[in-house]
Every structure is written in structure tokens, then in C-alpha cells.
């Protein structure tokens, strides 16, 4: 299990990731929205294609993750950080998720996605943003 920091940016994520990669002497892993499998129910707008869907750096032994917010989603500089729980135990993730959502606001219900067997996000009753993600042992991104 790991607890990771996740930063959101408003269109300049690639620039930030490349800056941090250079500063910490590490290699970035970057995936754009255009590189994700297409969903015919939700066509990708042109302005989203080049934006970073997910990026990852290993900084001094810790994983730091990044993404751009999707066009039209709210963004406030200074509150663009979430805590990401990555775990191989789906039951633990479900337990954490259901406890953290009490009195909070669900952003995305726990569900299977193309990148995770079990993923969900929420804001807890204290205003902290959380992402919970299953680790299938193939966390290359």
C-alpha cells in the first residue's frame, strides 16, 4: 500500500512535470487524454486531447502523480492537491472509501475503469480530496 500526493494543473501539467523531472533528475511517465482508450459515449473534445490525463514521477523514493483538470472542470490554485491511496486489497479500498465518504461528497463512485479494477474519488467532510485506486502490480504509470 502507498499514500501518494496527486497534483492537478489547469493546462500546464506537462510543463510542470517536465520541470520537476529535471529538478529531481528523474524520468517522467506521461499519458494524455488522447492516448486513453476512446469511449464512444463521451467523445473527447479537441481542447482536451493534448492535456495530461495522468503523469507520474518517482522523486527520491516517493511516487508523485499529476494531471490536468478536464476542460470545464473547476480549478483553484492552492487547493489542487489530493491524497491518493493505492492498494492491492480491493476490500480495504472499499472500506476506506465508504468511511471517508461519510458526510463528504462523492466525486466518482468506486468502479472498474480502463486503468483500475477499483477506482473512486471523493472529498471528505473536512474538505480533503481523496483518490482510491487498486494496484494490480502493473503500476507503470
Amino acid at each position: 500500500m502507498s499514500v501518494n500526493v496527486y497534483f492537478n494543473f489547469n493546462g500546464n501539467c506537462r510543463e510542470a512535470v517536465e520541470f520537476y523531472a529535471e529538478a529531481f533528475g528523474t524520468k517522467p511517465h506521461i499519458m494524455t487524454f488522447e492516448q486513453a482508450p476512446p469511449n464512444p459515449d463521451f467523445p473527447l473534445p479537441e481542447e482536451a486531447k493534448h492535456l495530461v490525463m495522468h503523469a507520474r514521477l518517482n522523486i527520491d523514493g516517493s511516487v508523485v502523480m499529476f494531471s490536468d483538470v478536464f476542460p470545464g472542470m473547476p480549478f483553484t490554485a492552492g487547493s489542487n492537491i489530493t491524497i491518493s491511496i493505492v492498494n492491492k486489497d480491493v476490500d480495504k479500498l472499499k472500506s476506506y472509501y465508504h468511511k471517508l465518504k461519510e458526510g463528504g461528497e462523492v466525486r466518482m463512485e468506486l468502479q472498474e475503469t480502463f486503468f483500475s479494477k477499483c477506482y473512486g474519488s471523493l472529498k471528505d467532510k473536512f474538505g480533503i480530496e481523496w483518490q482510491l485506486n487498486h494496484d494490480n502490480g502493473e503500476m507503470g504509470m
Side-chain angles (χ1 to χ4, degrees), residues 64-80:
V64 181
M65 297 180 284
F66 309 80
S67 70
D68 279 310
V69 293
F70 200 77
M73 298 298 291
F75 175 84
T76 304
S79 64
N80 52 323

Side-chain angles (χ1 to χ4, degrees), residues 14 20 38 52 56 75 78 109 112 120 122-123 125 139:
R14 180 179 295 276
Y20 296 131
V52 174
R56 174 187 170 125
F75 175 84
E109 288 288 350
E112 186 168 340
L122 58 90
K123 182 195 303 190
K125 64 183 177 182
M139 291 291 292

Side-chain angles (χ1 to χ4, degrees), residues 86-99:
V86 181
N87 196 299
K88 293 180 181 184
D89 186 331
V90 172
D91 291 331
K92 275 188 180 178
L93 289 172
K94 288 178 180 179
S95 175
Y96 298 155
Y97 180 86
H98 291 295
K99 191 67 178 171

